[in-house]
Amino acid sequence: MKVSKLPKANVNKFLESLQDFGEVIIPKEKQEQPGVYMFDTMTDPSEVAWEYLRTIIPPKKYLTKPKEVIFKFDSQRGFEEVIEDAEQKRVLFGLHPCDIHGIKILDVVFTHQYTDPYYTRRRNNTVIIGLSCIPDEKCFCKSMHTDYTEDGFDLALSDIGDGYLVAIGTSLGDDLVAERADLFTEVEETDRRKYLDFRKKRNQSFKLDLDIDDLPYILDLEQHSPIWDELGKRCLTCGSCSMVCPTCYCFNVYDELNLDARSGRRIKQWDACLFKDYALVAGGHNFREDRAERVKNRYYHKQFRMVEQYGKPSCVGCGRCINACPAGIDVVEVLTKVREGSYAETESS
Ligand code: SF4
Ligand code: SF4
């Protein structure tokens, strides 16, 4: 892979130059909540929170919107497709490897069987620039094999002290560097050493580990583990874990009618399999009325059915759901206990 170096003294100029491409989205610290981060539009390069760990909502919000009109209809005139932001060019700057893997999973989901025009139009107008990070006690991307990525980005920056080693992933990324070649320098042998030292330090920083070997097989065996009922009693079915997850993609579609009752809008809105009405169908039957079934479904979907369908789980180990759950449900703890059968032992002892 082609690499270059961006000295830290030139970073702000590079960020400003990205605005020529389109809206630049960066990780920012919330002013009213120190230590809490979000992706938002850059107005000044000094706003970048270089040391952020995870944002509350992942960058998926720029590709599949929390709520959007997908078409307008009128019984006289038919319908008119609406793709909000379809022409908006964007740079998603500062994505950590787990979030890049999250987008790689969404890319597959939204193009595999049917191409979602709302997602793909935005995705095709989006530049992705990655940023290295040091994990905290809730990161387990290493266990999920999403702690590094060699694709899924246009550029990826790794901190090597006085600058960033910039991996160039696409021809568009190459163009962005070429357009501001004056800001970049050659990578020296000492830079390569510093990068390898950084990788070593990062690899040694992981504190959380999840054994995913044979996990789908274990889950298949543990369909009736008491843990699912136990979690059903604890879970508030608030859906926060789905909303903050970079790979959760479920949505609901409904119509909003105007007062004339003949025209209106069709809305697409994020949904969560934890919500009570998620599996409610016409006629009033609910396939997952029981809370335990809904919690269990989330685990089986991510770690079992996604592996069956796409060959990998749809969890990238970002730790957001661990942070967000008001009931203290921790995905690593749950899956470790399922593997160990410790819930079953507790129940039977
Ligand atoms: S399940 Fe939790 S840890 Fe895994 S990707 Fe989703 S939010 Fe992150
Ligand atoms: S965040 Fe926690 S309480 Fe809320 S739905 Fe998810 S597992 Fe249940």
Side-chain angles (χ1 to χ4, degrees):
M1 185 176 291
K2 198 170 162 187
V3 287
S4 192
K5 182 179 175 183
L6 179 61
K8 284 189 177 168
N10 295 344
V11 160
N12 285 358
K13 281 188 188 143
F14 180 60
L15 279 160
E16 279 163 2
S17 76
L18 292 173
Q19 289 176 314
D20 294 340
F21 178 86
E23 180 186 21
V24 180
I25 305 297
I26 54 165
K28 285 184 188 177
E29 187 167 26
K30 290 185 102 172
Q31 279 184 350
E32 66 282 14
Q33 286 174 283
V36 177
Y37 300 93
M38 61 178 179
F39 284 109
D40 196 10
T41 307
M42 179 181 85
T43 53
D44 188 289
S46 64
E47 297 169 325
V48 175
W50 292 96
E51 305 299 330
Y52 88 103
L53 257 167
R54 63 179 69 78
T55 54
I56 301 173
I57 302 290
K60 72 176 180 182
K61 67 180 178 180
Y62 292 102
L63 300 170
T64 171
K65 289 178 155 284
K67 183 178 178 182
E68 63 178 313
V69 177
I70 53 174
F71 63 78
K72 294 177 182 169
F73 55 84
D74 184 302
S75 60
Q76 309 288 311
R77 294 196 295 269
F79 75 92
E80 175 200 345
E81 187 184 56
V82 179
I83 305 185
E84 292 175 33
D85 290 359
E87 307 306 327
Q88 174 71 58
K89 289 197 178 291
R90 270 200 191 98
V91 177
L92 298 182
F93 180 87
L95 272 57
H96 291 161
C98 60
D99 277 342
I100 295 175
H101 276 279
I103 291 176
K104 283 168 65 174
I105 290 169
L106 295 182
D107 285 350
V108 173
V109 169
F110 283 116
T111 59
H112 175 66
Q113 210 167 358
Y114 304 102
T115 299
D116 181 318
Y118 306 94
Y119 180 88
T120 48
R121 283 282 286 277
R122 292 189 198 108
R123 182 70 180 87
N124 291 339
N125 279 331
T126 301
V127 163
I128 293 180
I129 302 186
L131 177 66
S132 61
C133 52
I134 294 288
D136 72 356
E137 70 289 346
K138 287 174 187 156
C139 297
F140 60 101
C141 53
K142 191 173 179 200
S143 304
M144 303 310 296
H145 311 304
T146 56
D147 51 332
Y148 287 100
T149 181
E150 289 176 2
D151 59 10
F153 58 83
D154 295 287
L155 298 172
L157 278 59
S158 296
D159 192 336
I160 51 169
D162 59 342
Y164 292 94
L165 189 89
V166 181
I168 300 170
T170 62
S171 55
L172 178 55
D174 203 19
D175 290 346
L176 291 171
V177 171
E179 277 162 23
R180 289 311 312 261
D182 56 311
L183 302 177
F184 290 81
T185 61
E186 289 286 315
V187 176
E188 309 283 344
E189 187 50 34
T190 50
D191 299 321
R192 290 182 213 284
R193 288 278 124 229
K194 284 188 211 162
Y195 175 68
L196 292 175
D197 288 346
F198 165 76
R199 280 188 74 128
K200 195 170 160 195
K201 178 183 159 202
R202 185 170 183 266
N203 285 343
Q204 289 168 347
S205 302
F206 285 93
K207 299 177 186 81
L208 197 55
D209 186 38
L210 174 67
D211 180 3
I212 62 164
D213 282 351
D214 302 333
L215 189 54
Y217 178 65
I218 301 287
L219 284 169
D220 203 15
L221 291 174
E222 293 293 345
Q223 302 254 5
H224 303 291
S225 165
I227 193 170
W228 308 121
D229 284 334
E230 173 67 24
L231 288 178
K233 286 180 196 142
R234 286 172 62 194
C235 174
L236 308 170
T237 67
C238 64
S240 297
C241 48
S242 294
M243 299 300 145
V244 303
C245 180
T247 68
C248 277
Y249 54 81
C250 288
F251 57 85
N252 193 10
V253 173
Y254 59 93
D255 290 346
E256 276 181 2
L257 275 182
N258 293 330
L259 285 177
D260 63 10
R262 285 194 304 217
S263 62
R265 295 156 295 283
R266 182 152 295 180
I267 311 286
K268 181 181 172 198
Q269 186 169 353
W270 286 3
D271 202 354
C273 56
L274 279 306
F275 292 156
K276 188 172 182 192
D277 290 347
Y278 181 84
L280 181 68
V281 292
H285 182 68
N286 192 332
F287 284 94
R288 284 192 288 273
E289 185 145 25
D290 186 42
R291 263 192 301 166
E293 282 299 315
R294 300 204 291 280
V295 182
K296 179 182 167 188
N297 174 66
R298 185 163 193 271
Y299 284 86
Y300 277 77
H301 173 75
K302 289 193 164 295
Q303 301 286 353
F304 183 84
R305 289 194 293 278
M306 285 294 287
V307 178
E308 266 191 332
Q309 196 173 1
Y310 298 117
K312 57 182 176 184
S314 65
C315 171
V316 294
C318 70
R320 282 188 177 92
C321 60
I322 302 174
N323 241 5
C325 181
I329 295 172
D330 177 328
V331 56
V332 174
E333 209 177 281
V334 170
L335 292 171
T336 303
K337 285 184 173 175
V338 170
R339 175 180 291 281
E340 291 169 352
S342 56
Y343 268 71
E345 282 163 19
T346 307
E347 288 284 312
S348 58
S349 61

